[in-house]
mmCIF file of all heavy atoms in Angstrom:
data_model
loop_
_atom_site.group_PDB
_atom_site.id
_atom_site.type_symbol
_atom_site.label_atom_id
_atom_site.label_comp_id
_atom_site.label_asym_id
_atom_site.label_seq_id
_atom_site.Cartn_x
_atom_site.Cartn_y
_atom_site.Cartn_z
ATOM 1 N N ALA S 1464 32.444 -15.487 -16.758
ATOM 2 C CA ALA S 1464 32.767 -14.561 -15.673
ATOM 3 C C ALA S 1464 32.014 -14.960 -14.401
ATOM 4 O O ALA S 1464 32.569 -14.945 -13.293
ATOM 5 C CB ALA S 1464 32.395 -13.135 -16.080
ATOM 6 N N TRP S 1465 30.765 -15.361 -14.589
ATOM 7 C CA TRP S 1465 29.945 -15.755 -13.447
ATOM 8 C C TRP S 1465 30.509 -17.027 -12.807
ATOM 9 O O TRP S 1465 30.577 -17.148 -11.583
ATOM 10 C CB TRP S 1465 28.501 -15.962 -13.924
ATOM 11 C CG TRP S 1465 27.531 -16.267 -12.844
ATOM 12 C CD1 TRP S 1465 27.073 -15.403 -11.882
ATOM 13 C CD2 TRP S 1465 26.899 -17.520 -12.598
ATOM 14 N NE1 TRP S 1465 26.184 -16.054 -11.060
ATOM 15 C CE2 TRP S 1465 26.052 -17.352 -11.479
ATOM 16 C CE3 TRP S 1465 26.942 -18.774 -13.230
ATOM 17 C CZ2 TRP S 1465 25.279 -18.393 -10.968
ATOM 18 C CZ3 TRP S 1465 26.169 -19.804 -12.720
ATOM 19 C CH2 TRP S 1465 25.346 -19.606 -11.595
ATOM 20 N N ALA S 1466 30.954 -17.967 -13.656
ATOM 21 C CA ALA S 1466 31.553 -19.205 -13.140
ATOM 22 C C ALA S 1466 32.831 -18.892 -12.356
ATOM 23 O O ALA S 1466 33.089 -19.486 -11.306
ATOM 24 C CB ALA S 1466 31.852 -20.158 -14.290
ATOM 25 N N LEU S 1467 33.615 -17.930 -12.856
ATOM 26 C CA LEU S 1467 34.842 -17.534 -12.141
ATOM 27 C C LEU S 1467 34.490 -16.950 -10.782
ATOM 28 O O LEU S 1467 35.172 -17.202 -9.789
ATOM 29 C CB LEU S 1467 35.626 -16.499 -12.956
ATOM 30 C CG LEU S 1467 36.323 -17.001 -14.213
ATOM 31 C CD1 LEU S 1467 36.879 -15.823 -15.012
ATOM 32 C CD2 LEU S 1467 37.454 -17.956 -13.845
ATOM 33 N N LYS S 1468 33.400 -16.161 -10.750
ATOM 34 C CA LYS S 1468 32.959 -15.559 -9.493
ATOM 35 C C LYS S 1468 32.585 -16.654 -8.496
ATOM 36 O O LYS S 1468 32.957 -16.606 -7.335
ATOM 37 C CB LYS S 1468 31.762 -14.651 -9.777
ATOM 38 C CG LYS S 1468 31.238 -13.899 -8.570
ATOM 39 C CD LYS S 1468 29.962 -13.158 -8.935
ATOM 40 C CE LYS S 1468 29.312 -12.544 -7.725
ATOM 41 N NZ LYS S 1468 27.999 -11.978 -8.045
ATOM 42 N N LEU S 1469 31.849 -17.676 -8.991
ATOM 43 C CA LEU S 1469 31.457 -18.780 -8.119
ATOM 44 C C LEU S 1469 32.683 -19.542 -7.625
ATOM 45 O O LEU S 1469 32.769 -19.914 -6.452
ATOM 46 C CB LEU S 1469 30.545 -19.750 -8.873
ATOM 47 C CG LEU S 1469 29.085 -19.341 -9.051
ATOM 48 C CD1 LEU S 1469 28.290 -20.521 -9.571
ATOM 49 C CD2 LEU S 1469 28.494 -18.850 -7.737
ATOM 50 N N ALA S 1470 33.645 -19.737 -8.528
ATOM 51 C CA ALA S 1470 34.844 -20.503 -8.164
ATOM 52 C C ALA S 1470 35.627 -19.788 -7.071
ATOM 53 O O ALA S 1470 36.297 -20.419 -6.259
ATOM 54 C CB ALA S 1470 35.716 -20.714 -9.390
ATOM 55 N N ALA S 1471 35.534 -18.463 -7.042
ATOM 56 C CA ALA S 1471 36.321 -17.695 -6.076
ATOM 57 C C ALA S 1471 35.494 -17.296 -4.860
ATOM 58 O O ALA S 1471 35.914 -16.462 -4.069
ATOM 59 C CB ALA S 1471 36.893 -16.454 -6.752
ATOM 60 N N ARG S 1472 34.297 -17.908 -4.691
ATOM 61 C CA ARG S 1472 33.398 -17.399 -3.649
ATOM 62 C C ARG S 1472 33.904 -17.659 -2.239
ATOM 63 O O ARG S 1472 33.433 -17.047 -1.292
ATOM 64 C CB ARG S 1472 31.991 -17.943 -3.838
ATOM 65 C CG ARG S 1472 31.835 -19.411 -3.508
ATOM 66 C CD ARG S 1472 30.402 -19.882 -3.773
ATOM 67 N NE ARG S 1472 30.225 -21.261 -3.430
ATOM 68 C CZ ARG S 1472 30.621 -22.287 -4.171
ATOM 69 N NH1 ARG S 1472 31.248 -22.042 -5.313
ATOM 70 N NH2 ARG S 1472 30.430 -23.522 -3.802
ATOM 71 N N LYS S 1473 34.862 -18.580 -2.101
ATOM 72 C CA LYS S 1473 35.365 -18.859 -0.753
ATOM 73 C C LYS S 1473 36.219 -17.713 -0.228
ATOM 74 O O LYS S 1473 36.263 -17.468 0.968
ATOM 75 C CB LYS S 1473 36.173 -20.153 -0.755
ATOM 76 C CG LYS S 1473 35.260 -21.371 -0.786
ATOM 77 C CD LYS S 1473 35.969 -22.638 -0.338
ATOM 78 C CE LYS S 1473 35.047 -23.835 -0.488
ATOM 79 N NZ LYS S 1473 35.532 -24.765 -1.523
ATOM 80 N N GLU S 1474 36.891 -17.016 -1.146
ATOM 81 C CA GLU S 1474 37.676 -15.865 -0.703
ATOM 82 C C GLU S 1474 36.713 -14.711 -0.442
ATOM 83 O O GLU S 1474 35.686 -14.608 -1.098
ATOM 84 C CB GLU S 1474 38.641 -15.416 -1.809
ATOM 85 C CG GLU S 1474 39.662 -16.447 -2.179
ATOM 86 C CD GLU S 1474 40.383 -16.040 -3.449
ATOM 87 O OE1 GLU S 1474 40.746 -14.861 -3.568
ATOM 88 O OE2 GLU S 1474 40.542 -16.889 -4.332
ATOM 89 N N PRO S 1475 37.057 -13.838 0.507
ATOM 90 C CA PRO S 1475 36.186 -12.688 0.727
ATOM 91 C C PRO S 1475 36.141 -11.824 -0.533
ATOM 92 O O PRO S 1475 37.162 -11.663 -1.213
ATOM 93 C CB PRO S 1475 36.852 -11.949 1.888
ATOM 94 C CG PRO S 1475 38.242 -12.468 1.940
ATOM 95 C CD PRO S 1475 38.199 -13.860 1.407
ATOM 96 N N PRO S 1476 34.964 -11.309 -0.882
ATOM 97 C CA PRO S 1476 34.871 -10.509 -2.102
ATOM 98 C C PRO S 1476 35.693 -9.233 -1.970
ATOM 99 O O PRO S 1476 35.820 -8.685 -0.874
ATOM 100 C CB PRO S 1476 33.380 -10.197 -2.199
ATOM 101 C CG PRO S 1476 32.866 -10.318 -0.809
ATOM 102 C CD PRO S 1476 33.714 -11.336 -0.126
ATOM 103 N N PRO S 1477 36.265 -8.750 -3.071
ATOM 104 C CA PRO S 1477 37.028 -7.503 -2.990
ATOM 105 C C PRO S 1477 36.081 -6.356 -2.688
ATOM 106 O O PRO S 1477 34.956 -6.336 -3.176
ATOM 107 C CB PRO S 1477 37.632 -7.375 -4.389
ATOM 108 C CG PRO S 1477 36.761 -8.206 -5.274
ATOM 109 C CD PRO S 1477 36.164 -9.274 -4.425
ATOM 110 N N ALA S 1478 36.513 -5.437 -1.858
ATOM 111 C CA ALA S 1478 35.682 -4.284 -1.532
ATOM 112 C C ALA S 1478 35.550 -3.407 -2.766
ATOM 113 O O ALA S 1478 36.534 -3.079 -3.407
ATOM 114 C CB ALA S 1478 36.314 -3.497 -0.388
ATOM 115 N N PHE S 1479 34.324 -3.074 -3.114
ATOM 116 C CA PHE S 1479 34.123 -2.133 -4.216
ATOM 117 C C PHE S 1479 34.044 -0.748 -3.612
ATOM 118 O O PHE S 1479 33.060 -0.369 -3.008
ATOM 119 C CB PHE S 1479 32.828 -2.452 -4.964
ATOM 120 C CG PHE S 1479 32.480 -1.451 -6.035
ATOM 121 C CD1 PHE S 1479 32.966 -1.601 -7.321
ATOM 122 C CD2 PHE S 1479 31.689 -0.358 -5.756
ATOM 123 C CE1 PHE S 1479 32.654 -0.680 -8.306
ATOM 124 C CE2 PHE S 1479 31.373 0.574 -6.744
ATOM 125 C CZ PHE S 1479 31.857 0.404 -8.011
ATOM 126 N N ILE S 1480 35.144 -0.033 -3.711
ATOM 127 C CA ILE S 1480 35.180 1.309 -3.166
ATOM 128 C C ILE S 1480 35.634 2.205 -4.295
ATOM 129 O O ILE S 1480 36.757 2.113 -4.759
ATOM 130 C CB ILE S 1480 36.114 1.381 -1.950
ATOM 131 C CG1 ILE S 1480 35.419 0.689 -0.766
ATOM 132 C CG2 ILE S 1480 36.453 2.818 -1.604
ATOM 133 C CD1 ILE S 1480 36.266 0.491 0.439
ATOM 134 N N LEU S 1481 34.707 2.979 -4.807
ATOM 135 C CA LEU S 1481 34.997 3.781 -5.988
ATOM 136 C C LEU S 1481 34.886 5.246 -5.612
ATOM 137 O O LEU S 1481 33.806 5.723 -5.268
ATOM 138 C CB LEU S 1481 33.994 3.425 -7.092
ATOM 139 C CG LEU S 1481 34.141 4.144 -8.420
ATOM 140 C CD1 LEU S 1481 35.384 3.675 -9.145
ATOM 141 C CD2 LEU S 1481 32.914 3.892 -9.274
ATOM 142 N N GLU S 1482 35.993 5.923 -5.660
ATOM 143 C CA GLU S 1482 35.975 7.343 -5.360
ATOM 144 C C GLU S 1482 35.544 8.084 -6.612
ATOM 145 O O GLU S 1482 35.980 7.754 -7.710
ATOM 146 C CB GLU S 1482 37.381 7.781 -4.955
ATOM 147 C CG GLU S 1482 37.387 9.094 -4.237
ATOM 148 C CD GLU S 1482 38.803 9.593 -4.017
ATOM 149 O OE1 GLU S 1482 39.743 8.787 -4.024
ATOM 150 O OE2 GLU S 1482 38.955 10.802 -3.852
ATOM 151 N N LEU S 1483 34.652 9.057 -6.471
ATOM 152 C CA LEU S 1483 34.238 9.852 -7.616
ATOM 153 C C LEU S 1483 34.973 11.188 -7.510
ATOM 154 O O LEU S 1483 34.533 12.088 -6.802
ATOM 155 C CB LEU S 1483 32.716 10.045 -7.606
ATOM 156 C CG LEU S 1483 31.925 8.735 -7.679
ATOM 157 C CD1 LEU S 1483 30.446 8.962 -7.430
ATOM 158 C CD2 LEU S 1483 32.136 8.031 -8.999
ATOM 159 N N PRO S 1484 36.124 11.301 -8.182
ATOM 160 C CA PRO S 1484 36.943 12.503 -7.997
ATOM 161 C C PRO S 1484 36.276 13.732 -8.603
ATOM 162 O O PRO S 1484 35.375 13.615 -9.434
ATOM 163 C CB PRO S 1484 38.238 12.160 -8.737
ATOM 164 C CG PRO S 1484 37.891 11.095 -9.706
ATOM 165 C CD PRO S 1484 36.723 10.360 -9.139
ATOM 166 N N VAL S 1485 36.736 14.882 -8.168
ATOM 167 C CA VAL S 1485 36.235 16.146 -8.697
ATOM 168 C C VAL S 1485 36.592 16.222 -10.186
ATOM 169 O O VAL S 1485 37.663 15.808 -10.590
ATOM 170 C CB VAL S 1485 36.925 17.303 -7.931
ATOM 171 C CG1 VAL S 1485 36.513 18.650 -8.492
ATOM 172 C CG2 VAL S 1485 36.593 17.229 -6.456
ATOM 173 N N TYR S 1486 35.659 16.742 -11.011
ATOM 174 C CA TYR S 1486 35.951 16.892 -12.444
ATOM 175 C C TYR S 1486 37.102 17.853 -12.652
ATOM 176 O O TYR S 1486 37.211 18.866 -11.953
ATOM 177 C CB TYR S 1486 34.721 17.425 -13.191
ATOM 178 C CG TYR S 1486 33.647 16.390 -13.379
ATOM 179 C CD1 TYR S 1486 32.483 16.429 -12.638
ATOM 180 C CD2 TYR S 1486 33.804 15.366 -14.311
ATOM 181 C CE1 TYR S 1486 31.492 15.476 -12.807
ATOM 182 C CE2 TYR S 1486 32.821 14.406 -14.492
ATOM 183 C CZ TYR S 1486 31.664 14.464 -13.727
ATOM 184 O OH TYR S 1486 30.695 13.523 -13.892
ATOM 185 N N LYS S 1487 37.955 17.539 -13.599
ATOM 186 C CA LYS S 1487 39.096 18.394 -13.898
ATOM 187 C C LYS S 1487 39.219 18.569 -15.404
ATOM 188 O O LYS S 1487 38.767 17.727 -16.163
ATOM 189 C CB LYS S 1487 40.383 17.756 -13.369
ATOM 190 C CG LYS S 1487 40.546 17.878 -11.871
ATOM 191 C CD LYS S 1487 41.964 17.534 -11.450
ATOM 192 C CE LYS S 1487 42.279 16.074 -11.531
ATOM 193 N NZ LYS S 1487 41.796 15.289 -10.401
ATOM 194 N N VAL S 1488 39.881 19.649 -15.787
ATOM 195 C CA VAL S 1488 40.214 19.824 -17.202
ATOM 196 C C VAL S 1488 41.411 18.919 -17.482
ATOM 197 O O VAL S 1488 42.396 18.961 -16.743
ATOM 198 C CB VAL S 1488 40.577 21.295 -17.495
ATOM 199 C CG1 VAL S 1488 40.978 21.460 -18.948
ATOM 200 C CG2 VAL S 1488 39.396 22.194 -17.148
ATOM 201 N N PRO S 1489 41.332 18.072 -18.502
ATOM 202 C CA PRO S 1489 42.458 17.159 -18.732
ATOM 203 C C PRO S 1489 43.717 17.918 -19.160
ATOM 204 O O PRO S 1489 43.643 18.977 -19.770
ATOM 205 C CB PRO S 1489 41.963 16.261 -19.866
ATOM 206 C CG PRO S 1489 40.867 17.002 -20.521
ATOM 207 C CD PRO S 1489 40.261 17.882 -19.481
ATOM 208 N N GLN S 1490 44.871 17.358 -18.770
ATOM 209 C CA GLN S 1490 46.135 18.014 -19.134
ATOM 210 C C GLN S 1490 46.742 17.320 -20.346
ATOM 211 O O GLN S 1490 47.059 16.141 -20.275
ATOM 212 C CB GLN S 1490 47.134 17.894 -18.004
ATOM 213 C CG GLN S 1490 46.617 18.354 -16.675
ATOM 214 C CD GLN S 1490 47.457 17.795 -15.575
ATOM 215 O OE1 GLN S 1490 48.670 17.924 -15.584
ATOM 216 N NE2 GLN S 1490 46.822 17.126 -14.636
ATOM 217 N N PRO S 1491 46.932 18.077 -21.425
ATOM 218 C CA PRO S 1491 47.470 17.461 -22.647
ATOM 219 C C PRO S 1491 48.789 16.723 -22.411
ATOM 220 O O PRO S 1491 48.994 15.644 -22.950
ATOM 221 C CB PRO S 1491 47.679 18.657 -23.570
ATOM 222 C CG PRO S 1491 46.739 19.691 -23.065
ATOM 223 C CD PRO S 1491 46.612 19.483 -21.592
ATOM 224 N N SER S 1492 49.666 17.282 -21.548
ATOM 225 C CA SER S 1492 50.973 16.648 -21.377
ATOM 226 C C SER S 1492 50.829 15.278 -20.731
ATOM 227 O O SER S 1492 51.471 14.308 -21.137
ATOM 228 C CB SER S 1492 51.878 17.537 -20.520
ATOM 229 O OG SER S 1492 51.322 17.673 -19.232
ATOM 230 N N LEU S 1493 49.925 15.189 -19.740
ATOM 231 C CA LEU S 1493 49.734 13.914 -19.050
ATOM 232 C C LEU S 1493 49.122 12.885 -19.999
ATOM 233 O O LEU S 1493 49.508 11.713 -20.017
ATOM 234 C CB LEU S 1493 48.817 14.120 -17.835
ATOM 235 C CG LEU S 1493 48.665 12.926 -16.902
ATOM 236 C CD1 LEU S 1493 49.992 12.585 -16.257
ATOM 237 C CD2 LEU S 1493 47.621 13.208 -15.846
ATOM 238 N N ILE S 1494 48.189 13.357 -20.843
ATOM 239 C CA ILE S 1494 47.527 12.457 -21.787
ATOM 240 C C ILE S 1494 48.526 11.961 -22.823
ATOM 241 O O ILE S 1494 48.599 10.768 -23.111
ATOM 242 C CB ILE S 1494 46.329 13.175 -22.440
ATOM 243 C CG1 ILE S 1494 45.227 13.335 -21.385
ATOM 244 C CG2 ILE S 1494 45.820 12.408 -23.640
ATOM 245 C CD1 ILE S 1494 44.171 14.302 -21.751
ATOM 246 N N GLY S 1495 49.325 12.888 -23.349
ATOM 247 C CA GLY S 1495 50.347 12.507 -24.326
ATOM 248 C C GLY S 1495 51.292 11.487 -23.739
ATOM 249 O O GLY S 1495 51.651 10.492 -24.379
#
Side-chain angles (χ1 to χ4, degrees):
Chain S
W1465 184 71
L1467 288 172
K1468 183 186 173 187
L1469 282 191
R1472 72 182 182 282
K1473 283 199 184 113
E1474 297 169 44
F1479 175 88
I1480 286 171
L1481 181 70
E1482 198 188 337
L1483 300 170
V1485 176
Y1486 285 106
K1487 284 194 287 280
V1488 178
Q1490 308 161 52
S1492 63
L1493 188 64
I1494 289 165

